[in-house]
Structures are given as structure tokens and as C-alpha cells.
Amino acid sequence: MYNLDYLMKILANAKDSNATDLHITAGARPAIRVGGKLRYAPFERILPKDTENLLDELLTEVQKNMLKTNHYHSLPVAFNNIGRLRANIFMQRGSFSISFKLLDRLLKTPEELRIPNVVMDLSKQKSGLILICGDRKSSTSATRAAIVKKISETRACHIITVEDPIEYLFKHEKAIVNQKEIGIDANSFQEGVYSAMTQDPDVIMISFSGDPETFSAALAAAENGHLVITSLHTVGSVKTIRNIIGMFTIEKRNYIKMQLYNVLQAIVSQQLIPTKEETDSMPAMEIMLATTAVKNLIIEDKIHQIPDVIKVSRALGMVSMEDSINALYAQGLISKESAMSYSWHQNG
């Protein structure tokens, strides 16, 4: 029978594996996501009565009533020796499933994350907009956190993060780091960014800016002289810029392009590709630095030409996604099938 004590063992296993997520679903064994890949954990199969028993111990009466009414509930939880988690409870096939996102995770070094030096050097920027882009499984949060940590270690400044949820906790090193969580410290990303701008920050990190209100706030903060680091769920600089411009009405698009011209520093797009043995994942990165040539293409509505600029700007540290994937294949880290599949995904 599953109970909270048994759940603690499963969570401890997930934490030791540096997992990002744990899935408790009736009819299957617990599954954890590590390095973007889902795998089963070495525990017993879960029955519908097991999830009911867990929820009975986990939730208050008020939360149980909310779940009964809405068939869905999300809440923060914390356990000794495990740390903070975000629990998402939902109905499927007449029984409850629970997805836990593990927070306060151990941040690997840039070398372990295989983040190129040119990306880590973005931490030296004093102002402007840095976009770290990729889908939800691409570990953009770790790349953002690595850059923030590098700034905190090397610069006496004030960093404010606006996150949903807070995944990594930062120490106060050379920098002071204040972390705001949506729903607890701010009602929305937009509110969190605009309030942060009044609190004397040098750096603002926003975990996601995928709506026009939040992205407008990010642009405003960058124009105000702050360094802004944020993410979108896009892959590739061309798709990213098209996505940004497409957020806004036709009347506003020229203004948005001018703002990008003024503040954009770089777009880093990443994908996690399974290794040959499928025991780990390797990051492939497109790195676009916002040179004058790139910015002119944005203004002139010629963003489809940006990949050509990337290919001829290797000396500056720019890398195309195709070249990054090919390098992983040449090193024997990924299979030919994966190389072709993820290159197709990028271009498709």
C-alpha cells in the first residue's frame, strides 16, 4: 500500500537521480524524468487505491473539496530531506494521477551541462535581452540558472528572478539574489517584472515570457538598462523572432522590431538529444549573437537570412543547430537516426 513514507522513498530516489519530475499514475510504476528522458523507477506498480490513499494523507480537507469540484489541483509541498515540490493532481480514466516537479535541484556546472563558453560569456553583459529558448524538455532552466549563478559569483550587483516555480535556489555571493515565485510573491509575470524594475535590480531573470504582456515587460526592463534573461518555447532564432513579432498586433510590430534592435543581445536555442545508449541526453545549441547585421535583418523583415549570418560568423562564436548536432554525431555521442530526426525537427 502506498503511503507518505513510501512516497518519501520514491522522492529520495528521484532526488538522488537529479530528476526534474516524478509521475504517479495508476496502472504503472512510478516514472521519473532525468535529462529530459522519462524512465521507470524501481518501485511497485501503482493501483487506483494507492493514489487515493496518498491524496488522503497529502491534502487538507479544503484542498480535497477543491479537487472534488475541479478534478484538478496544483499546490506547493515541502518535505524534510527532500525539499520543495510542485504537485499537480488530475483525473484520468476515473482515477487520480499526481505529477511532482522537484525543485531546489542540484545545479550542475557549465562543463557538466556542456554549455559553450560563448554562452557563459553572456553573463558579462551589463544590459539588454538574452533569450534562452527550447521546448519544455530542453533544460532551458538549467542554462538560465548557470548564467545567473555565474553573474552572482563574479559581479557585485542585485539580481531579481521572477519564476513559476522557483527551480534552483541561489546563494548570495558577490551578488544579492532575490527570487520571486508567481502565486506567492507576485500575481503574474507581468506584475513581477514591473515591480522588480522599481527595486534597484541590475539583472532580472524571468523563467518564461511567452505572452505579449510579459514580453513587453521584459523589453521595457531591457530598455531601462537592466540585463534581462528569459525564455520562450521555441527552437531556432528565426522561429523565435517570428514568434515574438507574431505575439503583437500588426500596428505594434514595427515598434517591437525596433525594441529588439535596441536591446537584443543573443538568442540561444537548445534541444536535448538522447545518447546512443539512451542513458543520458546531450544538448545541441544554436547560438545567435545579435550583431548589427542580425539586427538589420530584423528591421528589414529579412529574418529568414539569419541562418546564413550564423554560418559565416563562427569566428564570433555563433553556431547553427545543424552544426551543433553534426558535432555531437561526429564525436560518437548520438546516433545517425537521432541526428537526422532532430535536424528535421529543427527545420520542419
Side-chain angles (χ1 to χ4, degrees):
M1 174 71 73
Y2 273 68
N3 55 29
L4 278 183
D5 288 339
Y6 196 63
L7 177 63
M8 291 303 103
K9 295 178 182 178
I10 300 171
L11 287 169
N13 173 270
K15 184 176 181 179
D16 290 344
S17 302
N18 205 27
T20 57
D21 301 88
L22 165 67
H23 297 280
I24 302 290
T25 299
R29 303 203 316 272
I32 60 175
R33 188 176 299 280
V34 181
K37 185 174 178 60
L38 199 68
R39 70 186 191 209
Y40 288 114
F43 295 94
E44 296 178 9
R45 186 169 64 92
I46 302 156
L47 301 176
K49 62 182 180 181
D50 292 325
T51 57
E52 292 177 11
N53 187 55
L54 280 174
L55 293 176
D56 188 56
E57 295 188 54
L58 187 64
L59 301 180
T60 65
E61 289 303 319
V62 172
Q63 291 168 339
K64 291 175 187 176
N65 289 332
M66 292 177 65
L67 180 60
K68 185 177 181 179
T69 300
N70 301 325
H71 305 297
Y72 169 83
H73 191 53
S74 177
L75 70 154
V77 292
F79 298 115
N80 290 336
N81 301 320
I82 300 295
R84 299 176 311 116
L85 306 99
R86 174 69 63 86
N88 287 283
I89 307 157
F90 57 96
M91 291 288 296
Q92 65 89 28
R93 294 169 59 183
S95 63
F96 288 106
S97 288
I98 313 170
S99 292
F100 291 99
K101 178 166 284 295
L102 281 76
L103 310 175
D104 305 346
R105 291 185 291 115
L106 175 66
L107 180 62
K108 296 180 180 180
T109 65
E111 292 75 21
E112 290 171 324
L113 293 168
R114 298 178 66 90
I115 301 176
N117 289 336
V118 66
V119 174
M120 293 308 301
D121 285 346
L122 294 172
S123 64
K124 298 175 184 178
Q125 298 292 340
K126 299 298 190 295
S127 64
L129 178 67
I130 297 169
L131 297 173
I132 310 295
C133 300
D135 66 25
R136 296 175 186 274
K137 301 175 185 177
S138 62
S139 197
T140 55
S141 59
T143 302
R144 284 195 317 268
I147 295 172
V148 170
K149 187 173 188 293
K150 182 69 175 290
I151 295 172
S152 177
E153 292 171 341
T154 57
R155 194 190 315 175
C157 64
H158 181 200
I159 302 170
I160 296 180
T161 74
V162 185
E163 305 174 69
D164 183 24
I166 294 172
E167 291 194 45
Y168 300 95
L169 295 179
F170 298 103
K171 296 178 180 178
H172 302 299
E173 298 183 82
K174 280 195 172 183
I176 296 172
V177 185
N178 285 304
Q179 296 182 256
K180 299 184 178 203
E181 185 161 351
I182 302 303
I184 298 174
D185 307 304
N187 293 316
S188 67
F189 279 113
Q190 182 185 18
E191 176 190 297
V193 176
Y194 280 121
S195 65
M197 290 170 62
T198 68
Q199 292 152 9
D200 189 37
D202 299 283
V203 179
I204 301 174
M205 189 273 274
I206 312 160
S207 63
F208 183 63
S209 297
D211 60 85
E213 294 78 18
T214 304
F215 200 83
S216 291
L219 287 171
E223 284 193 315
N224 202 39
H226 309 293
L227 177 63
V228 178
I229 305 165
T230 189
S231 291
L232 296 171
H233 293 321
T234 52
V235 179
S237 53
V238 171
K239 290 181 181 179
T240 298
I241 295 169
R242 284 178 178 161
N243 177 270
I244 292 167
I245 295 171
M247 288 185 200
F248 300 91
T249 62
I250 294 174
E251 295 77 15
K252 291 183 178 180
R253 289 178 184 176
N254 284 337
Y255 178 62
I256 296 301
K257 286 187 282 187
M258 184 55 68
Q259 284 184 298
L260 288 173
Y261 184 94
N262 290 333
V263 303
L264 187 61
Q265 295 284 4
I267 299 176
V268 177
S269 300
Q270 59 188 71
Q271 301 183 91
L272 283 182
I273 304 179
T275 57
K276 278 185 176 180
E277 299 77 15
E278 296 193 352
T279 57
D280 200 358
S281 299
M282 290 289 133
M285 287 189 178
E286 178 193 272
I287 303 168
M288 187 215 78
L289 304 179
T291 60
T292 300
V294 168
K295 292 181 179 182
N296 284 337
L297 292 177
I298 295 173
I299 291 294
E300 296 167 4
D301 285 326
K302 297 179 181 178
I303 59 174
H304 63 280
Q305 296 180 16
I306 288 177
D308 296 330
V309 176
I310 293 173
K311 284 185 176 295
V312 300
S313 302
R314 294 179 183 175
L316 299 178
M318 295 201 213
V319 180
S320 70
M321 182 63 76
E322 181 182 7
D323 286 345
S324 181
I325 292 173
N326 287 341
L328 292 176
Y329 174 61
Q331 295 170 55
L333 297 173
I334 63 173
S335 68
K336 182 178 181 179
E337 292 74 20
S338 289
M340 294 175 64
S341 173
Y342 282 82
S343 292
W344 178 89
H345 174 71
Q346 156 66 10
N347 297 318

